[in-house]
Amino acid sequence: VGRLAFTSRLSNIELFDFYKQEMPRFGWEEVTSVRSTVSVLTYRRMDRVAMMQIKSGTIYGSYIELTVSPKGASVGYSPGGQSGYSGGSSTITTQPLR
């Protein structure tokens, strides 16, 4: 399970088009996509699902949140710093950024 949030100088339209074109080149199959104020792209590859949310930045550029997780797994966060992953026998431990 992984989550990445970042900003870009590209517009949300440019980023949407970029990921829609490039993700299949890396073996990701599109599940669904919605181009809107907050655009959403969802892909799958083997036993993983990737979801991107792209929205316009405050002044310029874009803000992107990318989450990749096991397909069909229930993954969550609890305030105690433990994340449970029901797709296997392991537990993922997280720590807040300081």
Side-chain angles (χ1 to χ4, degrees), residues 1-97:
V1 176
R3 185 162 185 248
L4 176 65
F6 60 97
T7 57
S8 172
R9 286 187 252 165
L10 299 176
S11 71
N12 59 345
I13 293 168
E14 292 170 310
L15 280 173
F16 184 93
D17 292 341
F18 172 79
Y19 284 112
K20 195 156 175 78
Q21 178 181 338
E22 295 298 321
M23 289 294 280
R25 291 183 183 185
F26 289 93
W28 290 92
E29 176 188 354
E30 184 177 323
V31 175
T32 188
S33 64
V34 177
R35 188 187 299 253
S36 183
T37 305
V38 177
S39 296
V40 178
L41 294 155
T42 306
Y43 290 87
R44 70 174 163 219
R45 185 174 97 177
M46 296 187 291
D47 63 343
R48 299 259 185 234
V49 175
M51 190 203 50
M52 280 174 264
Q53 293 182 325
I54 306 168
K55 54 187 165 183
S56 294
T58 308
I59 298 173
Y60 72 98
S62 301
Y63 177 75
I64 303 96
E65 291 182 7
L66 169 63
T67 305
V68 178
S69 65
K71 181 179 170 187
S74 177
V75 179
Y77 171 77
S78 66
Q82 298 290 320
S83 288
Y85 160 52
S86 65
S89 61
S90 64
T91 299
I92 300 170
T93 303
T94 62
Q95 291 181 301
L97 295 174

